Amino acid sequence: MKIATIAAVVALFAAGTASASPVNLITNGNFETVAPGSTFSSGFQVVNNGSSAITGWTVGASSVDLIRNAYNAIDGYSIDMLGTPGPGFLSQNFNVVAGQTYNLSFDMARNSGGPAGQGVAVTFGGVAGNFYSTAAASNTLYSNTLSFTAASTGLATLSFASAAKAGTPFDNYSGAVIDNVSVSAVPEPETYAMLLAGLGLMGFLRRRKVAK
């Protein structure tokens, strides 16, 4: 079997596999990277409007709370969208390509001190969605998704704003908790075709080698 043929097959397979693996376009989506001096083991720390304490994210409105091992923090550091006090706002820009579809996913619970119905208003590349905690148990975990297709190449914005469901009293201190924010491009159909072609060619060459 020619070495060049083997190399071509391996390259095709590797390219298809890499393209099919989702890459998070959001910096510090799990909120685990914080500025020096902002680390702590348990409790909360107020992050005020304009602070750069949470790497990659812009804090707006009044404040958000960086929480850890308390108040229903989801995994390591999480964000309580109602700071001390709220309202809170968090945003980040990311690169997009015209015609490409992007998926957002994030986990949400709520601070145990706040009522059910606390949530977030999300804007994702111009598409809006509201997500609220509805279960009585504050540690109920919600996995949420939203999608949009980029109209042009450049920067798009993802933002979270503290919100409350209609009829729910707005708590200025204990709100929705978010974590594990991820934005990924939806693979094009030809990516899957390339991956399948690579797998098929590898199988064919393997069978051919055994038959000799």
Side-chain angles (χ1 to χ4, degrees), residues 164-206:
K165 193 173 183 180
T168 299
F170 193 80
D171 187 307
N172 278 333
Y173 295 93
S174 303
V177 175
I178 63 171
D179 205 346
N180 303 320
V181 179
S182 178
V183 170
S184 59
V186 177
E188 301 293 338
E190 54 266 28
T191 299
Y192 292 113
M194 182 185 296
L195 180 58
L196 290 173
L199 289 170
L201 190 53
M202 286 287 284
F204 169 76
L205 291 175
R206 189 175 291 112

Side-chain angles (χ1 to χ4, degrees), residues 47-111:
V47 183
N48 291 306
N49 183 338
S51 171
S52 57
I54 308 169
T55 301
W57 295 91
T58 298
V59 179
S62 178
S63 66
V64 299
D65 284 343
L66 183 65
I67 60 176
R68 187 178 189 184
N69 295 327
Y71 313 114
N72 286 331
I74 297 169
D75 182 20
Y77 290 107
S78 302
I79 302 296
D80 181 339
M81 287 302 301
L82 279 174
T84 307
F89 182 87
L90 207 60
S91 66
Q92 184 173 148
N93 294 328
F94 59 97
N95 290 301
V96 296
V97 176
Q100 176 68 61
T101 298
Y102 297 87
N103 287 340
L104 162 69
S105 66
F106 67 97
D107 292 332
M108 185 183 78
R110 67 178 170 85
N111 188 313

Side-chain angles (χ1 to χ4, degrees), residues 146-159:
L146 203 60
S147 299
F148 88 102
T149 301
S152 59
T153 298
L155 290 176
T157 300
L158 167 64
S159 68

